[in-house]
Every structure is written in structure tokens, then in C-alpha cells.
Amino acid sequence: MVGIFNELQARGLIAQSTNMERVEELLNGDKPVTFYIGFDATADSLHVGHFLQLTVMRRLQQAGHRPIALLGGGTTLVGDPTGKTDMRKMLTKEEIAHNVERFQQQMSKFVDFTDGRALVLNNADWLCKLNYLDFLRDVGVYFTVNKMLTAECFKSRMEKGLSFIEFNYMIMQSYDFLHMYDAVGCTMELGGDDQWANILGGVDLIRRVKREEAYGMTFTLLTTKEGKKMGKTESGAVWLDPEKTSPYEFFQYWRNIDDADVINCMKMLTFMPLEEIAQYEALQDREINRAKEKLAFELTKLVHSEEDAQKALEASKALFAAGSASEHMPTTPLDQSLVQDGSVGLLDLMVMAGLTPSKGEARRLVQQGGVSVGEEKIADAQHRVSLDAFKDGFIIIKKGKKTFHKITL
């Protein structure tokens, strides 16, 4: 029987690890390991980037280990500078508390939190109670500025300016690990590969304070073959909340990814056996569309439901076959305030429907010939759609070859 560490490795999920031989031994062993992954509550929904982390938690839990989902009620007040060119937006305590509650609800779909099989903790419970001077003396003394500045998350911000509040983030995350090591026996921290420096900080802090070894491991970031982060569309992030990204739109995101990324996403995100994935890996040319449909179906089933996945699949097949309307197509009612003299601007409609984040981007797409209303391709960015065009109470805007959106009166 293949151990869980080997399974993660075979799926291309493992990026780096401290003391890899020992981590492999622990994860493949019979004794449960308590590990944690942190989630800063910067929005009111989890997104595709978080989903990869949730699948790792689920895989390890199924192998007998105990996950901790650490919600960053405290660290979100500071903001992680990792991967950001500018300081993150400062949220209020009330906004963060709301986001934490939403995260917890969504996570319960992927990880079993019953009977102590997994824990949900909020670092606000201990970080917000810290005395700053005591914290500096007891924890800050173990960190050198020189070493911290070598971390990529700080180096990339030095030119534009790194605020002092953000500089504290690594120390706070490291303290989280130390606190949970003492409180609940957490001995391993996992996270995306961009968290490597922060994870090393926690491992080193435990070694210095407790004179004992803890472990850290990062998993591969979800990126395209070109190295760009996945989970973004022209209208924003791909959310797990069906109110923010509908099951159909979620399905379509995966159905439309590049051919070169399909198998990698199957391995990293689905629970399909590797032997089954290998069969899809052999597909070529137009046949790869079967793999895309399978990927989109499996992920929509995981995040939403099998019923939603089936509906999205049927709608997708109808659209790809005939470019026609479907009851499951994403739909937006017309904002009547946009109507002037019996018509509405196409650019306004596109932004209203979330097809583009701005009128500037909508204008570019129209001018490049990538937008149709019904069967008519529109090349004029000043085009206005008459209310008379809503013959059956709706119109369909097509963006590119694969994105359809219904606007209803």
C-alpha cells in the first residue's frame, strides 16, 4: 500500500520540506501527525488557491492524520506581504470576524471536524491577548533582521516600501506554530511554496525555544505551464461560494483551461486514482476535451454537488454543440438605471454581467472582435443594445468562443 507522502509526491504536490526523510517517515507511519495550514481571512469566501490546501488536508486526514485549520483572525489584522507589491487592504475586526465565520462554514464541506478529527482554531484567540513588550522579549529576540530580509516575501517589497506592521508578520506566524505546538501537540506546518520562509521561521523558533524538532513542508503552487497563478479570470477570483462564482461558471473555468494544464490539475486537485488519470494523459488533440470535461465535473462535484456538476456538464455540452441558450447559463437581470432612450451600452452590460472588470477591458475585447450579441459580432465599442432585442425577455452576450452570459429584462 502506497504511503500518503508517496501519493502526494506522485501527484506533484510536494515542493520543499525540512528533514524530508523524517517527514516521509512520519506521514507514512502508523501514528497520527497533528499538522496545520493557515488561512488569513482576507475575503468572505475561500477561492481556488485555498482549495488545493483543503484537498491536501483531506488527503492527510483520510490517511489518519489530524489537520488544524488555523484561521487568521489575528494575522489578517497585520497582512501577509508575501506575493504582494503593495500593502494589503486593512480590514476591520468586524469584517475579519465575518470572514472567519464564512471560512469555517465552507471548510466543513472538505474536512471532517467532528469528534476532534480536525480542529478549527483562530489565532486572534492568543495573538490579540499578547503584551507587545513581552512578545518582543520572549519571541522577537530569536529573529534577526538580516536573516528576515533575505526572505523573498520581504526582498520583493523593499523597493516600494515595506511597512513595519508587515515586517512583524513572519514573527507572528512563527509564534502561531510555537503556541499550537504547546497547546495541541502540533508538530508540522504545511502551506504553499510561497510560505517557505514563514514556515522555516516557526520551525526554527520551536527548535530555539523548546530544544525540540518540528517540521515544515510546502506544496506546489497551482500555476499554469507558463508559471502564472491559476484561479483568476478577467472578472476576478474563482470563488468556492456559489453566490460569488456560480457552479456553471466554476465548471466553465476548468473546462476552458489550457490543454497543457489539464493532467496536472487532475493530479493535484481531484481524488481520481492516478491509474485513471494516466488514461486521460494519453489523449491528444480534440480528444483532450474529454479530459477537460472530466476535470471540470470532478471539481464542481467536490466544491458544489454532483447535481450541480451534472447540470453544468449538460449546459456546457449544449453550448459547445450549438452555442445556444441554456437554463443553467449564468444570468444577470438588466440594471434598469443603465437604460437610456430605450437602449443600453454594450460595455455597461459586459461590466454589469461580470464579463469584464472594467469598461476599458470591455472596449478592448469588442475592438478585437471577441464579443457577440446573439448571433451578431459587434466591432463598435459604442454599440448600444435596444430593448427591442430582448425578444424572449433576454439576450445572450458571447465573449470569445466559450463564454456565454444571459441578460434578462
PDB file of all heavy atoms in Angstrom, residues 363-379:
ATOM      1  N   ARG A 363     -14.046  47.394 -23.801  1.00  0.00           N
ATOM      2  CA  ARG A 363     -13.785  48.087 -25.071  1.00  0.00           C
ATOM      3  C   ARG A 363     -12.715  47.362 -25.881  1.00  0.00           C
ATOM      4  O   ARG A 363     -12.846  47.180 -27.096  1.00  0.00           O
ATOM      5  CB  ARG A 363     -13.359  49.531 -24.797  1.00  0.00           C
ATOM      6  CG  ARG A 363     -13.109  50.371 -26.065  1.00  0.00           C
ATOM      7  CD  ARG A 363     -12.730  51.798 -25.739  1.00  0.00           C
ATOM      8  NE  ARG A 363     -13.835  52.505 -25.103  1.00  0.00           N
ATOM      9  CZ  ARG A 363     -13.904  52.798 -23.813  1.00  0.00           C
ATOM     10  NH1 ARG A 363     -12.904  52.443 -22.986  1.00  0.00           N
ATOM     11  NH2 ARG A 363     -14.928  53.436 -23.306  1.00  0.00           N
ATOM     12  N   ARG A 364     -11.666  46.928 -25.221  1.00  0.00           N
ATOM     13  CA  ARG A 364     -10.585  46.228 -25.919  1.00  0.00           C
ATOM     14  C   ARG A 364     -11.083  44.941 -26.565  1.00  0.00           C
ATOM     15  O   ARG A 364     -10.762  44.631 -27.709  1.00  0.00           O
ATOM     16  CB  ARG A 364      -9.447  45.916 -24.930  1.00  0.00           C
ATOM     17  CG  ARG A 364      -8.248  45.227 -25.570  1.00  0.00           C
ATOM     18  CD  ARG A 364      -7.197  44.873 -24.530  1.00  0.00           C
ATOM     19  NE  ARG A 364      -7.658  43.848 -23.601  1.00  0.00           N
ATOM     20  CZ  ARG A 364      -7.702  42.541 -23.898  1.00  0.00           C
ATOM     21  NH1 ARG A 364      -7.312  42.116 -25.084  1.00  0.00           N
ATOM     22  NH2 ARG A 364      -8.121  41.681 -23.001  1.00  0.00           N
ATOM     23  N   LEU A 365     -11.901  44.175 -25.806  1.00  0.00           N
ATOM     24  CA  LEU A 365     -12.430  42.918 -26.334  1.00  0.00           C
ATOM     25  C   LEU A 365     -13.332  43.143 -27.542  1.00  0.00           C
ATOM     26  O   LEU A 365     -13.266  42.410 -28.534  1.00  0.00           O
ATOM     27  CB  LEU A 365     -13.207  42.180 -25.242  1.00  0.00           C
ATOM     28  CG  LEU A 365     -12.373  41.440 -24.200  1.00  0.00           C
ATOM     29  CD1 LEU A 365     -13.258  40.953 -23.059  1.00  0.00           C
ATOM     30  CD2 LEU A 365     -11.649  40.264 -24.833  1.00  0.00           C
ATOM     31  N   VAL A 366     -14.186  44.168 -27.462  1.00  0.00           N
ATOM     32  CA  VAL A 366     -15.079  44.477 -28.585  1.00  0.00           C
ATOM     33  C   VAL A 366     -14.272  44.855 -29.815  1.00  0.00           C
ATOM     34  O   VAL A 366     -14.512  44.362 -30.924  1.00  0.00           O
ATOM     35  CB  VAL A 366     -16.062  45.597 -28.201  1.00  0.00           C
ATOM     36  CG1 VAL A 366     -16.849  46.061 -29.428  1.00  0.00           C
ATOM     37  CG2 VAL A 366     -17.020  45.119 -27.113  1.00  0.00           C
ATOM     38  N   GLN A 367     -13.292  45.737 -29.631  1.00  0.00           N
ATOM     39  CA  GLN A 367     -12.487  46.202 -30.760  1.00  0.00           C
ATOM     40  C   GLN A 367     -11.666  45.078 -31.384  1.00  0.00           C
ATOM     41  O   GLN A 367     -11.342  45.127 -32.573  1.00  0.00           O
ATOM     42  CB  GLN A 367     -11.574  47.341 -30.307  1.00  0.00           C
ATOM     43  CG  GLN A 367     -12.342  48.615 -29.972  1.00  0.00           C
ATOM     44  CD  GLN A 367     -11.489  49.686 -29.313  1.00  0.00           C
ATOM     45  OE1 GLN A 367     -10.398  49.404 -28.787  1.00  0.00           O
ATOM     46  NE2 GLN A 367     -11.971  50.917 -29.317  1.00  0.00           N
ATOM     47  N   GLN A 368     -11.354  44.048 -30.600  1.00  0.00           N
ATOM     48  CA  GLN A 368     -10.603  42.906 -31.120  1.00  0.00           C
ATOM     49  C   GLN A 368     -11.509  41.845 -31.748  1.00  0.00           C
ATOM     50  O   GLN A 368     -11.037  40.804 -32.204  1.00  0.00           O
ATOM     51  CB  GLN A 368      -9.781  42.267 -29.993  1.00  0.00           C
ATOM     52  CG  GLN A 368      -8.619  43.136 -29.527  1.00  0.00           C
ATOM     53  CD  GLN A 368      -7.849  42.512 -28.369  1.00  0.00           C
ATOM     54  OE1 GLN A 368      -8.289  41.515 -27.789  1.00  0.00           O
ATOM     55  NE2 GLN A 368      -6.711  43.088 -28.027  1.00  0.00           N
ATOM     56  N   GLY A 369     -12.821  42.123 -31.769  1.00  0.00           N
ATOM     57  CA  GLY A 369     -13.756  41.195 -32.404  1.00  0.00           C
ATOM     58  C   GLY A 369     -14.116  39.998 -31.561  1.00  0.00           C
ATOM     59  O   GLY A 369     -14.524  38.962 -32.093  1.00  0.00           O
ATOM     60  N   GLY A 370     -13.992  40.123 -30.249  1.00  0.00           N
ATOM     61  CA  GLY A 370     -14.234  38.982 -29.373  1.00  0.00           C
ATOM     62  C   GLY A 370     -15.585  38.969 -28.698  1.00  0.00           C
ATOM     63  O   GLY A 370     -15.801  38.194 -27.765  1.00  0.00           O
ATOM     64  N   VAL A 371     -16.528  39.825 -29.143  1.00  0.00           N
ATOM     65  CA  VAL A 371     -17.822  39.928 -28.461  1.00  0.00           C
ATOM     66  C   VAL A 371     -18.962  39.860 -29.476  1.00  0.00           C
ATOM     67  O   VAL A 371     -18.913  40.519 -30.527  1.00  0.00           O
ATOM     68  CB  VAL A 371     -17.924  41.245 -27.657  1.00  0.00           C
ATOM     69  CG1 VAL A 371     -19.287  41.376 -26.987  1.00  0.00           C
ATOM     70  CG2 VAL A 371     -16.807  41.323 -26.619  1.00  0.00           C
ATOM     71  N   SER A 372     -19.974  39.046 -29.152  1.00  0.00           N
ATOM     72  CA  SER A 372     -21.179  38.967 -29.981  1.00  0.00           C
ATOM     73  C   SER A 372     -22.400  39.168 -29.099  1.00  0.00           C
ATOM     74  O   SER A 372     -22.407  38.797 -27.921  1.00  0.00           O
ATOM     75  CB  SER A 372     -21.286  37.600 -30.670  1.00  0.00           C
ATOM     76  OG  SER A 372     -20.185  37.380 -31.529  1.00  0.00           O
ATOM     77  N   VAL A 373     -23.446  39.752 -29.692  1.00  0.00           N
ATOM     78  CA  VAL A 373     -24.753  39.831 -29.044  1.00  0.00           C
ATOM     79  C   VAL A 373     -25.684  38.969 -29.884  1.00  0.00           C
ATOM     80  O   VAL A 373     -25.922  39.278 -31.059  1.00  0.00           O
ATOM     81  CB  VAL A 373     -25.267  41.275 -28.947  1.00  0.00           C
ATOM     82  CG1 VAL A 373     -26.668  41.297 -28.337  1.00  0.00           C
ATOM     83  CG2 VAL A 373     -24.315  42.134 -28.118  1.00  0.00           C
ATOM     84  N   GLY A 374     -26.161  37.895 -29.292  1.00  0.00           N
ATOM     85  CA  GLY A 374     -26.899  36.922 -30.102  1.00  0.00           C
ATOM     86  C   GLY A 374     -25.961  36.310 -31.121  1.00  0.00           C
ATOM     87  O   GLY A 374     -24.887  35.817 -30.795  1.00  0.00           O
ATOM     88  N   GLU A 375     -26.345  36.348 -32.379  1.00  0.00           N
ATOM     89  CA  GLU A 375     -25.512  35.802 -33.453  1.00  0.00           C
ATOM     90  C   GLU A 375     -24.665  36.879 -34.127  1.00  0.00           C
ATOM     91  O   GLU A 375     -23.908  36.586 -35.052  1.00  0.00           O
ATOM     92  CB  GLU A 375     -26.407  35.134 -34.513  1.00  0.00           C
ATOM     93  CG  GLU A 375     -27.209  33.959 -33.987  1.00  0.00           C
ATOM     94  CD  GLU A 375     -26.322  32.839 -33.466  1.00  0.00           C
ATOM     95  OE1 GLU A 375     -25.274  32.562 -34.086  1.00  0.00           O
ATOM     96  OE2 GLU A 375     -26.668  32.252 -32.417  1.00  0.00           O
ATOM     97  N   GLU A 376     -24.788  38.131 -33.673  1.00  0.00           N
ATOM     98  CA  GLU A 376     -24.107  39.255 -34.342  1.00  0.00           C
ATOM     99  C   GLU A 376     -22.818  39.637 -33.615  1.00  0.00           C
ATOM    100  O   GLU A 376     -22.834  39.978 -32.440  1.00  0.00           O
ATOM    101  CB  GLU A 376     -25.050  40.474 -34.396  1.00  0.00           C
ATOM    102  CG  GLU A 376     -24.431  41.685 -35.066  1.00  0.00           C
ATOM    103  CD  GLU A 376     -25.306  42.923 -34.961  1.00  0.00           C
ATOM    104  OE1 GLU A 376     -26.390  42.825 -34.335  1.00  0.00           O
ATOM    105  OE2 GLU A 376     -24.905  43.984 -35.481  1.00  0.00           O
ATOM    106  N   LYS A 377     -21.712  39.576 -34.365  1.00  0.00           N
ATOM    107  CA  LYS A 377     -20.438  40.030 -33.793  1.00  0.00           C
ATOM    108  C   LYS A 377     -20.421  41.547 -33.804  1.00  0.00           C
ATOM    109  O   LYS A 377     -20.756  42.190 -34.806  1.00  0.00           O
ATOM    110  CB  LYS A 377     -19.269  39.486 -34.613  1.00  0.00           C
ATOM    111  CG  LYS A 377     -17.905  39.856 -34.051  1.00  0.00           C
ATOM    112  CD  LYS A 377     -16.788  39.057 -34.689  1.00  0.00           C
ATOM    113  CE  LYS A 377     -16.751  37.658 -34.140  1.00  0.00           C
ATOM    114  NZ  LYS A 377     -15.536  36.908 -34.572  1.00  0.00           N
ATOM    115  N   ILE A 378     -20.013  42.128 -32.683  1.00  0.00           N
ATOM    116  CA  ILE A 378     -20.004  43.585 -32.541  1.00  0.00           C
ATOM    117  C   ILE A 378     -18.565  44.091 -32.570  1.00  0.00           C
ATOM    118  O   ILE A 378     -17.725  43.590 -31.816  1.00  0.00           O
ATOM    119  CB  ILE A 378     -20.681  44.030 -31.227  1.00  0.00           C
ATOM    120  CG1 ILE A 378     -22.075  43.405 -31.088  1.00  0.00           C
ATOM    121  CG2 ILE A 378     -20.745  45.546 -31.144  1.00  0.00           C
ATOM    122  CD1 ILE A 378     -23.057  43.813 -32.156  1.00  0.00           C
ATOM    123  N   ALA A 379     -18.310  45.077 -33.430  1.00  0.00           N
ATOM    124  CA  ALA A 379     -16.958  45.640 -33.523  1.00  0.00           C
ATOM    125  C   ALA A 379     -16.896  47.079 -33.027  1.00  0.00           C
ATOM    126  O   ALA A 379     -15.809  47.631 -32.834  1.00  0.00           O
ATOM    127  CB  ALA A 379     -16.466  45.565 -34.969  1.00  0.00           C
TER     128      ALA A 379
END
